[in-house]
Each structure stands twice: as C-alpha cells, then as structure tokens.
Amino acid sequence: MSEYTASATFNNDQGSLSGLPLDITSIHFSNQILLQIRLNGEMDSTYEVTKRGLNALDQGISRPIAGFNSVPSEEQNDDDEFSYNADVVRDNLADFQVVTKLGDTTDHKMPVICTQMGELYQSVIIPMLRTSGKSNELTCDGSSLIITISSKIFRQPKGEDQDPDNELDFAKLVFVLKTIKEMYSI
Amino acid sequence: MATRTITHYITPEDSPLGGTSLEIIATIGKDLSSKKIPISLTICYQKDKPEIDEQGKVISKTQSSTLQYYHYSIPNKLRNRKNNEFVIGIPLLDTNNDWVRDISRKLADATAKKYEVPCYVSWSTTKPSDVTSISMDQMFVLRNCINFINTLYN
C-alpha cells in the first residue's frame, strides 16, 4: 500500500466554510483506494464507488467531464424511431455505482459528488500515476473507491430560504477535487 | 491542518513472544482533547520493513497489499441501563475471514473506548490468505497497536 496526504484551507470563495482546514489522506491498495476527506479533522459518512458498465469500449474517445459531446440534431430522428445518437445516449455519470455504507441515504447530493471523485481518479489521477512510472507499485486501476468524507462540507444550514451556500456547492466540489489532484503532483 | 499522519513499523523482534511484521498508518487529530476528530488506523499485515539508505530514502519497492476489512467504531454517548454498550461499531467493508474481522473490530472498539473518539480501522494483507494465524499473534498485534497509539497521545 502507498499513502498520500494533502492539506488545504477553505477560502472566501466557499462561503461559510471559509478558514476551515481540509485534510485528505488516500491509501492505495491493490484492490481499492481508500480516500478520507476531513473537514476540521472530522469525517462521518462512508461511500463505496465502483465502476460499472461497458465504457471500456469507449476508451480513447475523448469525452467531456460532464454533458454531451454533441447536441442532438433535429434532422436525424425523422423516420426511424430506433435510431439514436450514441453521444446523446451516453451518460458518463452512469458509469459509477455509489453505495452509501454509512450516512444519510436520502441525501442525493453526496452520490453525485462521489461520482465526480470516481471520475477524477478514472480520467486524471490513474493515467497520471501510470505515466509517471508509479503503476508497478499501484496495481489498483482506480475502479473501486471507498470514500469517507465529512458530510458537513456540502450541508445546507437549516432554516434559510435564500441561502448563499446553495450556489457555492460547485465551488466547494472544485476545491475538494483540486486538492485531491494536488495531493498526487508532489 | 487539523490532523497529522504517522507511519510506524512493528517487527517481531519487538516482542519476546514473537509475531508478524506490521505497518501502521495512523491519522490523528492535532488537538488531542477534541472528541470529534476520529483516529484512523490502516494496518498492513505481514509487511516487510523497507530498506532505508543513509539519506533516509526507501530502497526496496513498495509491497502491494489487499484491503480486506474496514470497520468504524464510535463511543456510545446514549449509554444507559438498557443499552449498556460502551462502543457501537459497524463494518463498512466486510470480509469472510473471521480472524481479520475479529481483530479489526477489537482494535477499533478498544481505541474508541479508551480515547473516547470515533475510530476507523482498515486491515490489509500482503498475502492472499492467513488462515494459519494463531491467537497469540492476535495479542501481539493488538498490544503493539495500542502501545503505538499510546505514544501518539503522550
């Protein structure tokens, strides 16, 4: 197993989290990657992210992190109702299955966040480690991820209708993903 | 930075009773008085200590190990006469190896009870199976791990 750590502090772009420390530890095993994301040292929820589906067939085709490669055109779907545009049907978020091991199962935000982390490992970090020659010690291909995270990072303060933090979720996610990526570039 | 991460090796020579070599990666809060910051322990069973040259650089290649079990224990704050457990625990990644499950659970429970903080224990092995392990080894592992956590608190 090999181990990576990184620390960062949330800044004013992340609203109410400003000034709180973010500590990330990841440990690579041959079958799993264990990722622990702490806000202020705390963490409470655990998710398992596994890769599913046939997207190995799509390897080599450049694909966006989110959204579609192309916009569906009106002319195509005239006569044949079974014809489809492969790019439109393709949903990259569906490549991952997220299981809530411990935490709020009614929270639909966290599985999406975990999927984004799975996607980061799949499309950026594992290829990065491979090209830097560390792949022989890291037999794991990043297809299975266990994430222990503090759910407070993305929690909304209660009783506030016009909550400014609502729009900051994306900024928080980008900050966390950026810290994970920086952890490997040391 | 609210936490620090320490790597520690235990070799069989540390104990007169003998045992197996271990690597422990512990993440612990910098503020030891906080009861909210969990301790996380990652244990690699039967890992050889890497050779280190004069500059402190690791020579030998990292041994790959397989994650087998992941356990979470938390002190029972709602303890009363009916619900008398000191610690509540749950496996987050289960295994069919009873020996691994037992020792990880014991370690997580003991840590959570002693230091009154939540504890995560992940157990990994370098060899495919260790069904030959004897109970003496379990005592060796538990005692050395607890001793190591003790040194972090002092």
Side-chain angles (χ1 to χ4, degrees):
Chain A
M1 61 184 183
S2 42
E3 164 230 351
Y4 301 86
T5 53
S7 299
T9 307
F10 284 104
N11 51 42
N12 284 328
D13 296 344
Q14 285 91 37
S16 58
L17 295 178
S18 167
L20 292 176
L22 174 77
D23 294 273
I24 303 180
T25 310
S26 89
I27 297 170
H28 289 236
F29 300 98
S30 61
N31 57 340
Q32 302 266 7
I33 294 171
L34 179 67
L35 190 61
Q36 295 184 324
I37 300 169
R38 293 161 181 260
L39 174 73
N40 214 356
E42 300 166 20
M43 51 186 185
D44 49 17
S45 305
T46 300
Y47 301 86
E48 186 177 33
V49 184
T50 42
K51 207 175 138 197
R52 285 291 145 92
L54 297 167
N55 74 336
L57 299 173
D58 285 351
Q59 293 286 321
I61 304 170
S62 69
R63 55 196 182 92
I65 295 289
F68 307 117
N69 273 330
S70 60
V71 181
S73 55
E74 289 290 319
E75 300 123 36
Q76 280 183 344
N77 49 13
D78 281 337
D79 23 9
D80 189 2
E81 58 180 296
F82 295 109
S83 74
Y84 62 90
N85 185 336
D87 283 337
V88 176
V89 175
R90 189 92 192 78
D91 177 12
N92 292 322
L93 287 178
D95 290 344
F96 295 93
Q97 184 194 357
V98 180
V99 178
T100 306
K101 292 283 190 175
L102 185 67
D104 183 4
T105 47
T106 60
D107 187 347
H108 297 293
K109 220 187 306 180
M110 289 310 289
V112 178
I113 289 157
C114 292
T115 306
Q116 292 295 334
M117 289 175 190
E119 182 70 26
L120 175 74
Y121 269 88
Q122 204 65 64
S123 56
V124 179
I125 289 170
I126 296 299
M128 201 166 83
L129 289 173
R130 256 185 213 133
T131 48
S132 66
K134 286 180 179 166
S135 57
N136 44 359
E137 61 182 67
L138 303 167
T139 36
C140 184
D141 58 354
S143 60
S144 188
L145 202 62
I146 294 180
I147 301 170
T148 300
I149 189 170
S150 169
S151 60
K152 282 183 188 170
I153 298 175
F154 297 100
R155 189 174 293 163
Q156 308 295 335
K158 276 179 191 161
E160 287 175 46
D161 287 339
Q162 289 295 317
D163 179 32
D165 265 26
N166 237 332
E167 287 140 37
L168 294 173
D169 276 343
F170 187 70
K172 291 177 193 171
L173 176 63
V174 169
F175 185 78
V176 172
L177 292 178
K178 210 178 85 201
T179 312
I180 296 175
K181 195 178 166 236
E182 279 166 2
M183 177 163 71
Y184 290 93
S185 54
I186 301 162
Chain B
M1 258 183 114
T3 58
R4 60 198 177 111
T5 303
I6 308 105
T7 308
H8 180 68
Y9 288 97
I10 292 169
T11 48
E13 295 87 64
D14 294 346
S15 162
L17 293 169
T20 319
S21 55
L22 290 176
E23 183 187 11
I24 309 172
I25 298 173
T27 307
I28 187 170
K30 281 200 164 155
D31 177 16
L32 295 176
S33 60
S34 169
K35 300 294 181 206
K36 283 185 174 175
I37 300 179
I39 299 179
S40 83
L41 300 167
T42 305
I43 289 155
C44 182
Y45 187 66
Q46 293 175 321
K47 175 155 179 167
D48 301 329
K49 193 169 183 171
E51 293 169 44
I52 292 167
D53 64 10
E54 294 88 49
Q55 281 88 42
K57 249 187 131 190
V58 178
I59 300 168
S60 62
K61 218 169 70 175
T62 315
Q63 255 173 311
S64 74
S65 63
T66 311
L67 180 65
Q68 291 205 311
Y69 188 66
Y70 189 32
H71 191 93
Y72 179 52
S73 287
I74 187 164
N76 187 2
K77 294 264 170 69
L78 305 171
R79 190 166 167 266
N80 54 33
R81 210 182 305 157
K82 265 187 188 171
N83 175 6
N84 208 10
E85 300 287 324
F86 280 100
V87 172
I88 306 167
I90 184 176
L92 298 172
L93 181 73
D94 213 348
T95 174
N96 55 7
N97 187 328
D98 288 337
W99 188 84
V100 168
R101 190 194 291 119
D102 200 35
I103 191 168
S104 310
R105 185 182 53 77
K106 273 182 186 163
L107 181 58
D109 285 0
T111 311
K113 189 180 173 186
K114 190 168 183 192
Y115 301 102
E116 292 170 20
V117 289
C119 181
Y120 290 87
V121 171
S122 43
W123 185 277
S124 69
T125 50
T126 54
K127 285 163 193 155
S129 72
D130 48 13
V131 282
T132 52
S133 309
I134 51 165
S135 56
M136 185 65 90
D137 218 26
Q138 201 173 56
M139 289 306 294
F140 170 83
V141 172
L142 275 176
R143 207 190 45 221
N144 277 292
C145 291
I146 297 286
N147 282 348
F148 167 60
I149 302 164
N150 246 330
T151 59
L152 300 179
Y153 267 90
N154 293 322

